[in-house]
Amino acid sequence: MTTKTDRTLRRILTDVLGLKPGQVDAFTAETGLFGHLPELDSMAVAALLTEMEDRLEIQIDEDEIDGELFETYGSLLAFAEAKREDA
């Protein structure tokens, strides 16, 4: 089942990373992100976090950001959904 957060996060990834339309539709929880998507570099991470805060209406603290967060689509989605629950 696709959640609103899932749909929004997929749009954010497409917009920020300039991915091909429909590319993120194939992402599963196990899809690798950082180190797997050439578009996702350190500069893109900052833009991605900013867009996540704006569009998902969440606050992300620096101490919450680590390599595991961007390891897979599933880890990023779980983080986003948890943040929205806490908001």
Side-chain angles (χ1 to χ4, degrees):
M1 183 179 115
T2 305
T3 65
K4 182 179 179 189
T5 302
D6 185 20
R7 289 189 302 274
T8 302
L9 186 58
R10 289 175 190 271
R11 281 195 305 272
I12 292 169
L13 285 166
T14 298
D15 295 348
V16 172
L17 302 180
L19 301 177
K20 293 180 288 230
Q23 184 175 346
V24 297
D25 294 347
F27 284 10
T28 67
E30 292 79 34
T31 300
L33 296 180
F34 199 79
H36 298 272
L37 290 175
E39 300 87 352
L40 185 57
D41 58 18
S42 56
M43 291 300 293
V45 165
L48 188 61
L49 292 170
T50 300
E51 281 300 306
M52 286 176 66
E53 286 185 323
D54 290 348
R55 295 196 208 176
L56 296 172
E57 299 177 344
I58 59 175
Q59 179 67 44
I60 302 171
D61 298 318
E62 285 187 30
D63 65 346
E64 295 176 300
I65 303 165
D66 60 24
E68 290 180 13
L69 178 60
F70 293 98
E71 195 169 308
T72 64
Y73 179 73
S75 61
L76 188 61
L77 178 60
F79 173 79
E81 288 182 331
K83 292 297 288 184
R84 289 191 88 179
E85 288 174 10
D86 292 343

